Amino acid sequence: MCRWLAYSGTPIRLEELLYKPQYSLIDQSLHSRLGVETTNGDGFGVGWYPVDGPPAPALFRGTGPAWNDANLREIAGSISSPLFLAHIRASTGTAVQQTNCHPFRHENWLWVHNGSIREFSTLKRDLTLAVDPRLYPSLAGSTDSEVMFHLALTYGLRDRPVAAVERMAGLVEAVGRAHGVADPLQMTVATTDGDRIWCFRYSSEGHSRSLYFSTETTALQALYPENRQLRALSEETRLVVSEPLGDLEGAWQPVPESSYGVIQKGADEMGRFTPAAP
Amino acid sequence: MCRWLAYSGTPIRLEELLYKPQYSLIDQSLHSRLGVETTNGDGFGVGWYPVDGPPAPALFRGTGPAWNDANLREIAGSISSPLFLAHIRASTGTAVQQTNCHPFRHENWLWVHNGSIREFSTLKRDLTLAVDPRLYPSLAGSTDSEVMFHLALTYGLRDRPVAAVERMAGLVEAVGRAHGVADPLQMTVATTDGDRIWCFRYSSEGHSRSLYFSTETTALQALYPENRQLRALSEETRLVVSEPLGDLEGAWQPVPESSYGVIQKGADEMGRFTPAAP
Amino acid sequence: MCRWLAYSGTPIRLEELLYKPQYSLIDQSLHSRLGVETTNGDGFGVGWYPVDGPPAPALFRGTGPAWNDANLREIAGSISSPLFLAHIRASTGTAVQQTNCHPFRHENWLWVHNGSIREFSTLKRDLTLAVDPRLYPSLAGSTDSEVMFHLALTYGLRDRPVAAVERMAGLVEAVGRAHGVADPLQMTVATTDGDRIWCFRYSSEGHSRSLYFSTETTALQALYPENRQLRALSEETRLVVSEPLGDLEGAWQPVPESSYGVIQKGADEMGRFTPAAP
Amino acid sequence: MCRWLAYSGTPIRLEELLYKPQYSLIDQSLHSRLGVETTNGDGFGVGWYPVDGPPAPALFRGTGPAWNDANLREIAGSISSPLFLAHIRASTGTAVQQTNCHPFRHENWLWVHNGSIREFSTLKRDLTLAVDPRLYPSLAGSTDSEVMFHLALTYGLRDRPVAAVERMAGLVEAVGRAHGVADPLQMTVATTDGDRIWCFRYSSEGHSRSLYFSTETTALQALYPENRQLRALSEETRLVVSEPLGDLEGAWQPVPESSYGVIQKGADEMGRFTPAAP
């Protein structure tokens, strides 16, 4: 059902994290160990912010499998970024097309999602109607993930991100309930404005997809002692991933059920995630 | 803005009409003579009904240009059909993806469109809301054409096709008016249930995209005197096209402005097309 | 390293074998149980002969994974054939492109291959030079499999198929030896002229990729007792597959190491496969 | 038959030249004014050297039309480079696949070509055999252009570029003569090591495809007076193009028939191009 990765910290070439680790995201596209699906070959995407300049993210998204995409390898080898999101997709039924590939973008914001809205085709109309009509025209694809992003934008993602995502989740659960769909929401989400990253782990049934964050930069460095790029990482560098990129004891910490985290300058935050009824 | 072709009659291999004529549809993908755009390279599709058996159409749609698609050439060379629609696309802004390629299909019905709804991104929400909620989940892409098809289905396409398309057009014009969009609708459309084909030529401004029908089978045969397949065509064989496939004098008749035609067993029909206010 | 299927017998819709069985070929593209690679997502292809008419096969080949290809599903659902080959690819290094997808075709012949020529990039030049210069221009891709096919054609595939494939294998082993490559050839191959199918299982190391044939039509029918299409299969209907499509005891027989088989009208043949030194 | 662009000078965002000019390269993919083909929709590519660091070029190549490629637009908007080549393709018969898209790369070298080798399928084997066997494995596609590049590499492109290309041209003409092909070579070529760019305009028949260079930076700036990026261009900035990007009088100078040019620090060079018999 997809895997993703979010990075914030010292600018790094994308390939250091997408290709080089033992269980890299690209490797997970063929052989995920913790995913519901072992193969994530229905498209991919990466969204990155530039090293200098304004926080306008660029996207590269493809519809084939990440593992055999020659352009992704080139781009990952030539672009450095202080903040990026990457995603590999296993479709839960919607079409394999670029507009369904994550990250989704709105102005300076990016969004990636793993999970699904159960019986989305039944709930889709009601959920889509709740999207702010001014945002409606920017819905380009057909996924639950993109509708979730636009609902969060509708509910004030730009101003109060955690509250906005909680309202989105509350709406999905209310609409699900109205249609008799049990446990409608399953999600790990990362969203960013180019400065901070908000991560969420939640499911209606209380049994969410896996999510981990890197405990300390030194742990990452110890993973790859010969990697000179990693040696230079700042202490504030953080990585959040659907599944660990390696086996190093203590380097990865699970994100608790029903919680959110904020990666930012200074102390990071973590808190309880509670859907807000609409 | 797209070109299309509709065929009904003696079963014929698709390539006879898609590739072999002087100005074939595939040739028009590179060099349209009458289109608003000379290049129609943003995808293509063909939907065909089988020679025997129930009228369940099959689709082959691709996102690259028709002119260089090796699979289209193979399929056109190996499949015969008594009734098929083919389409080449020039996007008016929506994404180049399979779910935006024509023909669109619903059960045994197919639909192709050339033209556009002006300022569709502004009108899209209101139009989509008018689609029957039971049909809403089958909207898979993001085009005006697919919404038009689903509106026509909502208004009874299966029972009274002309009236249903007139109501669809009426709604588009009413919604356009409400949003201050002048002359919102531009269309030539073909739709079929596998038995009859309904064709429409209409635009709010009274200046519609070109549309022609083949006058008599003998004219088609005269076009290609050496083509043995064509010699065997029945008298009821008909072809409707965005632009003539050849220069033969008298072989092609323009469809009048604001009119519709029905190709069917026995005498064909033609009538005036009048949008019906909702 | 790829999986394939060859069918000969009563005309059948392709989907009966590509999609419907428990471990169908399309299912194997995501989850192969016996393959060296569990995922075969680097392209696919099917080549079929028409029910009537001359034995001119048509091809449909794609570069994405078979499991999410909408066109393959349409074609498999609409085409019936008395003889077809299908293939799903896991690239061993060469590019993911249509010209590298199997089946390969030459006039009325088709060819599919699972396996590889070890260190092919080292041996490629010598092997390619041995291809008949008149056949050289029809090499369109960059795979070992296509070179093997053209070598077999060079050595008389059309007249004495088994001997031609034995000479091809002998050349590969001789060229490998000259370059110090141990055990250069690993292959299961099916090739057909539209009338008979020749299958081969061989590897230089005597440990070849898996290959099975259906023992009796009645076994196939028992597998799917509710499938009406299968009930009508003739006794001469045969299926050869990289791995069984279901678990039915006794329905599938492994092809022995270093052997070939011929599926044809009347009694099938089987024999020992011995590479012939050039 | 393709169009290309080569840029060297002050680092610039790719989109400034690929998208913004009046007759940009992307615009030429739909509507070339001087090309043999007006549509160049059979793939595209761009190869760029980084602003800092070693001259290792990155590639982005696609098989669809440039005009509708969302990823190309993203990359062009986010990457700046002091030296890049871009190409749009109109196939002369070989497959539309990434390995046939320009630029071709070998180590730090890039190569783009407009034109063709006449009857290439007849001449291909002899030409390919002349490629250094150590370079042979890096032939990945099936175009004449890639073989020309590898022949130039074989003949010492890295040490004496002009002489190497002259020998390549001489070989093509000799092999053409041996097979009775009149006027076999038609080319404009750009090749670069990341420091200098060599451009060539030549055809056996003395009637070559168009090629222009920008006369002075100030002319470019005058073309786009409101473009702030261009105002900062150094005097050494140069652009070589298949056809002018705008109508400004005096801004573009045709490259003479049968000549080459070198863009480099200090004075550029130009000289007569004379194929060298092998």
Side-chain angles (χ1 to χ4, degrees), chain B residues 48 57-62 68-71 74-75 78-79 98 105, chain C residues 48 57-62 68-71 74-75 78-79 98 105:
Chain B
W48 68 94
L59 287 181
F60 177 67
R61 303 189 293 180
N68 71 26
D69 196 274
N71 285 324
E74 293 285 324
I75 283 161
S78 71
I79 285 176
Q98 210 171 42
R105 176 176 61 190
Chain C
W48 67 93
L59 287 182
F60 177 66
R61 303 189 293 179
N68 70 26
D69 196 274
N71 285 323
E74 293 285 323
I75 283 162
S78 72
I79 285 176
Q98 210 172 42
R105 177 175 60 191

Side-chain angles (χ1 to χ4, degrees), chain D residues 32-44:
Chain D
S32 160
R33 296 176 306 146
L34 303 183
V36 171
E37 295 289 348
T38 56
T39 305
N40 295 277
D42 297 326
F44 63 85

Side-chain angles (χ1 to χ4, degrees), chain B residues 56-220:
Chain B
L59 287 181
F60 177 67
R61 303 189 293 180
T63 57
W67 72 76
N68 71 26
D69 196 274
N71 285 324
L72 179 59
R73 191 172 285 273
E74 293 285 324
I75 283 161
S78 71
I79 285 176
S80 290
S81 170
L83 198 163
F84 62 95
L85 306 184
H87 186 275
I88 52 176
R89 185 168 182 243
S91 167
T92 54
T94 46
V96 175
Q97 57 194 24
Q98 210 171 42
T99 54
N100 285 351
C101 291
H102 310 222
F104 298 100
R105 176 176 61 190
H106 186 80
E107 295 168 357
N108 60 315
W109 285 76
L110 294 178
W111 175 279
V112 291
H113 168 227
N114 171 27
S116 65
I117 293 178
R118 201 162 275 135
E119 295 189 35
F120 178 58
S121 75
T122 303
L123 310 187
K124 185 177 183 182
R125 188 172 185 274
D126 286 354
L127 294 174
T128 304
L129 287 193
V131 169
D132 184 332
R134 287 163 302 178
L135 292 170
Y136 184 90
S138 68
L139 284 166
S142 57
T143 61
D144 46 7
S145 310
E146 190 192 21
V147 171
M148 290 164 64
F149 179 32
H150 282 73
L151 287 170
L153 287 163
T154 297
Y155 294 142
L157 182 67
R158 281 165 288 203
D159 298 320
R160 299 181 54 223
V162 175
V165 175
E166 287 180 332
R167 279 196 62 189
M168 177 275 288
L171 179 77
V172 171
E173 296 194 327
V175 169
R177 214 174 302 125
H179 286 267
V181 176
D183 297 336
L185 184 57
Q186 174 65 257
M187 71 177 208
T188 68
V189 160
T191 187
T192 175
D193 60 356
D195 181 28
R196 289 184 287 175
I197 300 177
W198 291 263
C199 297
F200 302 87
R201 182 173 183 229
Y202 177 76
S203 58
S204 306
E205 65 214 85
H207 187 68
S208 304
R209 302 280 176 266
S210 61
L211 194 63
Y212 294 81
F213 60 96
S214 63
T215 43
E216 304 174 52
T217 313
T218 48
L220 253 184

Side-chain angles (χ1 to χ4, degrees), chain C residues 22 54 88 135 144 149 163 176 183 193 215 223 256 259 264 267 270 278:
Chain C
Q22 183 182 4
I88 52 175
L135 292 170
D144 46 6
F149 180 31
D183 297 334
D193 60 356
T215 43
L223 258 175
S259 65
Q264 56 193 348
M270 195 169 283

